Amino acid sequence: MTLFTTAEAAALATTWRQQLTAGAAAVTPAAVRQWAARGHLPRGGLDPRGRPLYRIGDLARAEAATRPGALRLVGIGPGPAPHPPPAPHTPHTGSQTRHSTPASPARPGGAPAR
């Protein structure tokens, strides 16, 4: 059974993601550590220095589980529905006039007049 370090796992997952996204998305070692911390990626063992190692099958499942969110972040795939375009502006025509209200006088210092 082959086990991968965090950096190796990130490089492998990046290869998979870039094949799907024409090179637009990558996986960093920090992302792999987050997958593990959030329970997406179980640890397959430890290296001699006590660093986590991961199995390829577990890595593939974690990459697939986190792919939709990652692709949204780079603008690929479904996301929230876009806002409708604003209504076109129609200028005032005819005899309509705008009425304005005069500002209330104020005393020095910003206090309103009584």
PDB file of all heavy atoms in Angstrom, residues 82-108:
ATOM      1  N   PRO A  82     -27.336  34.356 -10.171  1.00  0.00           N
ATOM      2  CA  PRO A  82     -26.934  35.766 -10.308  1.00  0.00           C
ATOM      3  C   PRO A  82     -28.119  36.693 -10.080  1.00  0.00           C
ATOM      4  O   PRO A  82     -29.268  36.311 -10.273  1.00  0.00           O
ATOM      5  CB  PRO A  82     -26.437  35.851 -11.749  1.00  0.00           C
ATOM      6  CG  PRO A  82     -27.082  34.706 -12.457  1.00  0.00           C
ATOM      7  CD  PRO A  82     -27.315  33.636 -11.414  1.00  0.00           C
ATOM      8  N   HIS A  83     -27.829  37.910  -9.669  1.00  0.00           N
ATOM      9  CA  HIS A  83     -28.879  38.902  -9.461  1.00  0.00           C
ATOM     10  C   HIS A  83     -29.439  39.321 -10.819  1.00  0.00           C
ATOM     11  O   HIS A  83     -28.694  39.423 -11.785  1.00  0.00           O
ATOM     12  CB  HIS A  83     -28.331  40.128  -8.727  1.00  0.00           C
ATOM     13  CG  HIS A  83     -27.875  39.830  -7.341  1.00  0.00           C
ATOM     14  ND1 HIS A  83     -28.745  39.526  -6.329  1.00  0.00           N
ATOM     15  CD2 HIS A  83     -26.642  39.761  -6.798  1.00  0.00           C
ATOM     16  CE1 HIS A  83     -28.077  39.303  -5.225  1.00  0.00           C
ATOM     17  NE2 HIS A  83     -26.791  39.432  -5.475  1.00  0.00           N
ATOM     18  N   PRO A  84     -30.743  39.593 -10.904  1.00  0.00           N
ATOM     19  CA  PRO A  84     -31.293  40.059 -12.185  1.00  0.00           C
ATOM     20  C   PRO A  84     -30.722  41.432 -12.526  1.00  0.00           C
ATOM     21  O   PRO A  84     -30.356  42.189 -11.628  1.00  0.00           O
ATOM     22  CB  PRO A  84     -32.796  40.120 -11.938  1.00  0.00           C
ATOM     23  CG  PRO A  84     -32.943  40.199 -10.461  1.00  0.00           C
ATOM     24  CD  PRO A  84     -31.744  39.498  -9.873  1.00  0.00           C
ATOM     25  N   PRO A  85     -30.648  41.773 -13.799  1.00  0.00           N
ATOM     26  CA  PRO A  85     -30.118  43.092 -14.163  1.00  0.00           C
ATOM     27  C   PRO A  85     -31.049  44.185 -13.668  1.00  0.00           C
ATOM     28  O   PRO A  85     -32.251  43.980 -13.531  1.00  0.00           O
ATOM     29  CB  PRO A  85     -30.073  43.049 -15.694  1.00  0.00           C
ATOM     30  CG  PRO A  85     -31.022  41.970 -16.091  1.00  0.00           C
ATOM     31  CD  PRO A  85     -31.054  40.994 -14.957  1.00  0.00           C
ATOM     32  N   PRO A  86     -30.505  45.367 -13.385  1.00  0.00           N
ATOM     33  CA  PRO A  86     -31.353  46.453 -12.896  1.00  0.00           C
ATOM     34  C   PRO A  86     -32.320  46.903 -13.979  1.00  0.00           C
ATOM     35  O   PRO A  86     -32.053  46.774 -15.168  1.00  0.00           O
ATOM     36  CB  PRO A  86     -30.359  47.560 -12.539  1.00  0.00           C
ATOM     37  CG  PRO A  86     -29.128  47.238 -13.315  1.00  0.00           C
ATOM     38  CD  PRO A  86     -29.111  45.746 -13.496  1.00  0.00           C
ATOM     39  N   ALA A  87     -33.454  47.425 -13.554  1.00  0.00           N
ATOM     40  CA  ALA A  87     -34.451  47.931 -14.503  1.00  0.00           C
ATOM     41  C   ALA A  87     -33.880  49.141 -15.217  1.00  0.00           C
ATOM     42  O   ALA A  87     -33.145  49.926 -14.620  1.00  0.00           O
ATOM     43  CB  ALA A  87     -35.724  48.306 -13.763  1.00  0.00           C
ATOM     44  N   PRO A  88     -34.197  49.303 -16.492  1.00  0.00           N
ATOM     45  CA  PRO A  88     -33.668  50.458 -17.215  1.00  0.00           C
ATOM     46  C   PRO A  88     -34.234  51.756 -16.649  1.00  0.00           C
ATOM     47  O   PRO A  88     -35.369  51.810 -16.190  1.00  0.00           O
ATOM     48  CB  PRO A  88     -34.130  50.229 -18.652  1.00  0.00           C
ATOM     49  CG  PRO A  88     -35.221  49.230 -18.570  1.00  0.00           C
ATOM     50  CD  PRO A  88     -35.012  48.445 -17.313  1.00  0.00           C
ATOM     51  N   HIS A  89     -33.433  52.797 -16.703  1.00  0.00           N
ATOM     52  CA  HIS A  89     -33.831  54.109 -16.182  1.00  0.00           C
ATOM     53  C   HIS A  89     -34.694  54.817 -17.226  1.00  0.00           C
ATOM     54  O   HIS A  89     -34.357  54.866 -18.389  1.00  0.00           O
ATOM     55  CB  HIS A  89     -32.603  54.950 -15.858  1.00  0.00           C
ATOM     56  CG  HIS A  89     -32.936  56.345 -15.435  1.00  0.00           C
ATOM     57  ND1 HIS A  89     -33.511  56.612 -14.219  1.00  0.00           N
ATOM     58  CD2 HIS A  89     -32.795  57.524 -16.059  1.00  0.00           C
ATOM     59  CE1 HIS A  89     -33.694  57.913 -14.116  1.00  0.00           C
ATOM     60  NE2 HIS A  89     -33.266  58.487 -15.214  1.00  0.00           N
ATOM     61  N   THR A  90     -35.834  55.353 -16.789  1.00  0.00           N
ATOM     62  CA  THR A  90     -36.681  56.127 -17.704  1.00  0.00           C
ATOM     63  C   THR A  90     -36.670  57.572 -17.248  1.00  0.00           C
ATOM     64  O   THR A  90     -37.001  57.862 -16.097  1.00  0.00           O
ATOM     65  CB  THR A  90     -38.127  55.581 -17.724  1.00  0.00           C
ATOM     66  OG1 THR A  90     -38.612  55.545 -16.390  1.00  0.00           O
ATOM     67  CG2 THR A  90     -38.179  54.197 -18.311  1.00  0.00           C
ATOM     68  N   PRO A  91     -36.286  58.492 -18.114  1.00  0.00           N
ATOM     69  CA  PRO A  91     -36.224  59.903 -17.708  1.00  0.00           C
ATOM     70  C   PRO A  91     -37.626  60.481 -17.539  1.00  0.00           C
ATOM     71  O   PRO A  91     -38.590  59.983 -18.111  1.00  0.00           O
ATOM     72  CB  PRO A  91     -35.486  60.570 -18.870  1.00  0.00           C
ATOM     73  CG  PRO A  91     -35.696  59.650 -20.021  1.00  0.00           C
ATOM     74  CD  PRO A  91     -35.844  58.262 -19.457  1.00  0.00           C
ATOM     75  N   HIS A  92     -37.712  61.548 -16.725  1.00  0.00           N
ATOM     76  CA  HIS A  92     -38.995  62.245 -16.536  1.00  0.00           C
ATOM     77  C   HIS A  92     -39.361  62.975 -17.820  1.00  0.00           C
ATOM     78  O   HIS A  92     -38.532  63.617 -18.448  1.00  0.00           O
ATOM     79  CB  HIS A  92     -38.892  63.271 -15.402  1.00  0.00           C
ATOM     80  CG  HIS A  92     -38.937  62.646 -14.051  1.00  0.00           C
ATOM     81  ND1 HIS A  92     -40.018  61.965 -13.591  1.00  0.00           N
ATOM     82  CD2 HIS A  92     -38.024  62.609 -13.052  1.00  0.00           C
ATOM     83  CE1 HIS A  92     -39.787  61.531 -12.372  1.00  0.00           C
ATOM     84  NE2 HIS A  92     -38.571  61.902 -12.029  1.00  0.00           N
ATOM     85  N   THR A  93     -40.608  62.870 -18.200  1.00  0.00           N
ATOM     86  CA  THR A  93     -41.078  63.601 -19.381  1.00  0.00           C
ATOM     87  C   THR A  93     -42.386  64.293 -19.044  1.00  0.00           C
ATOM     88  O   THR A  93     -43.035  63.989 -18.059  1.00  0.00           O
ATOM     89  CB  THR A  93     -41.311  62.648 -20.568  1.00  0.00           C
ATOM     90  OG1 THR A  93     -42.246  61.660 -20.159  1.00  0.00           O
ATOM     91  CG2 THR A  93     -40.026  62.012 -21.024  1.00  0.00           C
ATOM     92  N   GLY A  94     -42.797  65.201 -19.869  1.00  0.00           N
ATOM     93  CA  GLY A  94     -44.091  65.860 -19.663  1.00  0.00           C
ATOM     94  C   GLY A  94     -43.997  66.969 -18.655  1.00  0.00           C
ATOM     95  O   GLY A  94     -42.956  67.567 -18.425  1.00  0.00           O
ATOM     96  N   SER A  95     -45.139  67.245 -18.001  1.00  0.00           N
ATOM     97  CA  SER A  95     -45.222  68.403 -17.117  1.00  0.00           C
ATOM     98  C   SER A  95     -44.944  68.038 -15.661  1.00  0.00           C
ATOM     99  O   SER A  95     -45.257  68.815 -14.775  1.00  0.00           O
ATOM    100  CB  SER A  95     -46.607  69.028 -17.243  1.00  0.00           C
ATOM    101  OG  SER A  95     -47.581  68.093 -16.822  1.00  0.00           O
ATOM    102  N   GLN A  96     -44.420  66.851 -15.416  1.00  0.00           N
ATOM    103  CA  GLN A  96     -44.134  66.484 -14.033  1.00  0.00           C
ATOM    104  C   GLN A  96     -42.971  67.326 -13.523  1.00  0.00           C
ATOM    105  O   GLN A  96     -41.970  67.497 -14.208  1.00  0.00           O
ATOM    106  CB  GLN A  96     -43.776  65.005 -13.921  1.00  0.00           C
ATOM    107  CG  GLN A  96     -44.904  64.080 -14.304  1.00  0.00           C
ATOM    108  CD  GLN A  96     -44.439  62.623 -14.267  1.00  0.00           C
ATOM    109  OE1 GLN A  96     -43.273  62.334 -14.193  1.00  0.00           O
ATOM    110  NE2 GLN A  96     -45.401  61.712 -14.328  1.00  0.00           N
ATOM    111  N   THR A  97     -43.135  67.858 -12.333  1.00  0.00           N
ATOM    112  CA  THR A  97     -42.047  68.639 -11.731  1.00  0.00           C
ATOM    113  C   THR A  97     -41.687  67.997 -10.409  1.00  0.00           C
ATOM    114  O   THR A  97     -42.517  67.366  -9.753  1.00  0.00           O
ATOM    115  CB  THR A  97     -42.456  70.106 -11.499  1.00  0.00           C
ATOM    116  OG1 THR A  97     -43.598  70.107 -10.646  1.00  0.00           O
ATOM    117  CG2 THR A  97     -42.752  70.810 -12.804  1.00  0.00           C
ATOM    118  N   ARG A  98     -40.465  68.165 -10.031  1.00  0.00           N
ATOM    119  CA  ARG A  98     -40.007  67.632  -8.741  1.00  0.00           C
ATOM    120  C   ARG A  98     -40.151  68.709  -7.693  1.00  0.00           C
ATOM    121  O   ARG A  98     -39.834  69.865  -7.931  1.00  0.00           O
ATOM    122  CB  ARG A  98     -38.553  67.189  -8.827  1.00  0.00           C
ATOM    123  CG  ARG A  98     -38.374  65.995  -9.691  1.00  0.00           C
ATOM    124  CD  ARG A  98     -36.964  65.521  -9.583  1.00  0.00           C
ATOM    125  NE  ARG A  98     -36.773  64.377 -10.461  1.00  0.00           N
ATOM    126  CZ  ARG A  98     -35.744  63.588 -10.431  1.00  0.00           C
ATOM    127  NH1 ARG A  98     -34.777  63.813  -9.568  1.00  0.00           N
ATOM    128  NH2 ARG A  98     -35.645  62.573 -11.243  1.00  0.00           N
ATOM    129  N   HIS A  99     -40.662  68.332  -6.557  1.00  0.00           N
ATOM    130  CA  HIS A  99     -40.813  69.266  -5.445  1.00  0.00           C
ATOM    131  C   HIS A  99     -39.767  68.910  -4.408  1.00  0.00           C
ATOM    132  O   HIS A  99     -39.582  67.750  -4.079  1.00  0.00           O
ATOM    133  CB  HIS A  99     -42.219  69.162  -4.828  1.00  0.00           C
ATOM    134  CG  HIS A  99     -43.286  69.506  -5.807  1.00  0.00           C
ATOM    135  ND1 HIS A  99     -43.578  70.795  -6.175  1.00  0.00           N
ATOM    136  CD2 HIS A  99     -44.132  68.713  -6.521  1.00  0.00           C
ATOM    137  CE1 HIS A  99     -44.554  70.781  -7.051  1.00  0.00           C
ATOM    138  NE2 HIS A  99     -44.913  69.530  -7.282  1.00  0.00           N
ATOM    139  N   SER A 100     -39.122  69.896  -3.904  1.00  0.00           N
ATOM    140  CA  SER A 100     -38.143  69.622  -2.858  1.00  0.00           C
ATOM    141  C   SER A 100     -38.614  70.279  -1.579  1.00  0.00           C
ATOM    142  O   SER A 100     -39.309  71.283  -1.590  1.00  0.00           O
ATOM    143  CB  SER A 100     -36.764  70.154  -3.255  1.00  0.00           C
ATOM    144  OG  SER A 100     -36.835  71.544  -3.438  1.00  0.00           O
ATOM    145  N   THR A 101     -38.214  69.708  -0.487  1.00  0.00           N
ATOM    146  CA  THR A 101     -38.571  70.271   0.810  1.00  0.00           C
ATOM    147  C   THR A 101     -37.385  71.093   1.289  1.00  0.00           C
ATOM    148  O   THR A 101     -36.269  70.619   1.221  1.00  0.00           O
ATOM    149  CB  THR A 101     -38.831  69.159   1.828  1.00  0.00           C
ATOM    150  OG1 THR A 101     -38.699  67.920   1.225  1.00  0.00           O
ATOM    151  CG2 THR A 101     -40.116  69.266   2.530  1.00  0.00           C
ATOM    152  N   PRO A 102     -37.639  72.285   1.763  1.00  0.00           N
ATOM    153  CA  PRO A 102     -36.507  73.085   2.235  1.00  0.00           C
ATOM    154  C   PRO A 102     -35.904  72.446   3.475  1.00  0.00           C
ATOM    155  O   PRO A 102     -36.602  71.846   4.291  1.00  0.00           O
ATOM    156  CB  PRO A 102     -37.133  74.448   2.551  1.00  0.00           C
ATOM    157  CG  PRO A 102     -38.586  74.194   2.701  1.00  0.00           C
ATOM    158  CD  PRO A 102     -38.907  72.970   1.894  1.00  0.00           C
ATOM    159  N   ALA A 103     -34.614  72.584   3.589  1.00  0.00           N
ATOM    160  CA  ALA A 103     -33.925  72.043   4.766  1.00  0.00           C
ATOM    161  C   ALA A 103     -34.298  72.873   5.979  1.00  0.00           C
ATOM    162  O   ALA A 103     -34.481  74.087   5.887  1.00  0.00           O
ATOM    163  CB  ALA A 103     -32.421  72.077   4.543  1.00  0.00           C
ATOM    164  N   SER A 104     -34.437  72.230   7.116  1.00  0.00           N
ATOM    165  CA  SER A 104     -34.772  72.983   8.323  1.00  0.00           C
ATOM    166  C   SER A 104     -33.527  73.741   8.783  1.00  0.00           C
ATOM    167  O   SER A 104     -32.431  73.207   8.743  1.00  0.00           O
ATOM    168  CB  SER A 104     -35.275  72.045   9.409  1.00  0.00           C
ATOM    169  OG  SER A 104     -34.303  71.083   9.684  1.00  0.00           O
ATOM    170  N   PRO A 105     -33.703  74.976   9.210  1.00  0.00           N
ATOM    171  CA  PRO A 105     -32.531  75.755   9.629  1.00  0.00           C
ATOM    172  C   PRO A 105     -31.916  75.141  10.875  1.00  0.00           C
ATOM    173  O   PRO A 105     -32.600  74.571  11.716  1.00  0.00           O
ATOM    174  CB  PRO A 105     -33.111  77.147   9.914  1.00  0.00           C
ATOM    175  CG  PRO A 105     -34.581  76.965  10.037  1.00  0.00           C
ATOM    176  CD  PRO A 105     -34.947  75.702   9.329  1.00  0.00           C
ATOM    177  N   ALA A 106     -30.637  75.271  10.976  1.00  0.00           N
ATOM    178  CA  ALA A 106     -29.935  74.716  12.131  1.00  0.00           C
ATOM    179  C   ALA A 106     -29.146  75.814  12.819  1.00  0.00           C
ATOM    180  O   ALA A 106     -28.733  76.791  12.199  1.00  0.00           O
ATOM    181  CB  ALA A 106     -29.000  73.617  11.690  1.00  0.00           C
ATOM    182  N   ARG A 107     -28.950  75.653  14.107  1.00  0.00           N
ATOM    183  CA  ARG A 107     -28.138  76.603  14.867  1.00  0.00           C
ATOM    184  C   ARG A 107     -26.692  76.207  14.749  1.00  0.00           C
ATOM    185  O   ARG A 107     -26.376  75.052  14.435  1.00  0.00           O
ATOM    186  CB  ARG A 107     -28.570  76.570  16.339  1.00  0.00           C
ATOM    187  CG  ARG A 107     -29.932  77.203  16.558  1.00  0.00           C
ATOM    188  CD  ARG A 107     -30.189  77.400  18.005  1.00  0.00           C
ATOM    189  NE  ARG A 107     -30.683  76.124  18.556  1.00  0.00           N
ATOM    190  CZ  ARG A 107     -30.749  75.837  19.839  1.00  0.00           C
ATOM    191  NH1 ARG A 107     -30.315  76.706  20.724  1.00  0.00           N
ATOM    192  NH2 ARG A 107     -31.225  74.716  20.262  1.00  0.00           N
ATOM    193  N   PRO A 108     -25.784  77.119  15.029  1.00  0.00           N
ATOM    194  CA  PRO A 108     -24.354  76.762  15.015  1.00  0.00           C
ATOM    195  C   PRO A 108     -24.118  75.591  15.965  1.00  0.00           C
ATOM    196  O   PRO A 108     -24.719  75.484  17.017  1.00  0.00           O
ATOM    197  CB  PRO A 108     -23.659  78.028  15.505  1.00  0.00           C
ATOM    198  CG  PRO A 108     -24.629  79.142  15.263  1.00  0.00           C
ATOM    199  CD  PRO A 108     -26.002  78.519  15.325  1.00  0.00           C
TER     200      PRO A 108
END
